[in-house]
Amino acid sequence: MENKSIREIISVIFKAVTLAMGVAVVVLSCMGSLDAQTSVILLGIGLACAGTAMLEKR
């Protein structure tokens, strides 16, 4: 039971990082303080976290 709750927490963390990276890119782009290379890196991190969260078997 403990392993299941840890897996759920990790899944939620990966989903939160995905959302945070997307929001960060949008906000920083609107502020004009984000270049294209940095935005691609941030979105790549978010995509990797989303993929990791989706790979979890339920």
Side-chain angles (χ1 to χ4, degrees):
M1 178 117 148
E2 185 176 327
N3 287 339
K4 185 176 181 183
S5 64
I6 291 173
R7 287 181 182 173
E8 289 175 358
I9 291 171
I10 291 173
S11 178
V12 169
I13 290 171
F14 280 134
K15 290 174 185 176
V17 169
T18 301
L19 179 64
M21 289 299 171
V23 170
V25 168
V26 169
V27 169
L28 290 173
S29 293
C30 289
M31 292 173 55
S33 62
L34 187 66
D35 60 345
Q37 183 178 4
T38 306
S39 65
V40 169
I41 291 171
L42 291 175
L43 291 175
I45 293 169
L47 186 61
C49 288
T52 304
M54 293 174 125
L55 283 175
E56 178 189 358
K57 294 182 181 178
R58 294 190 176 195

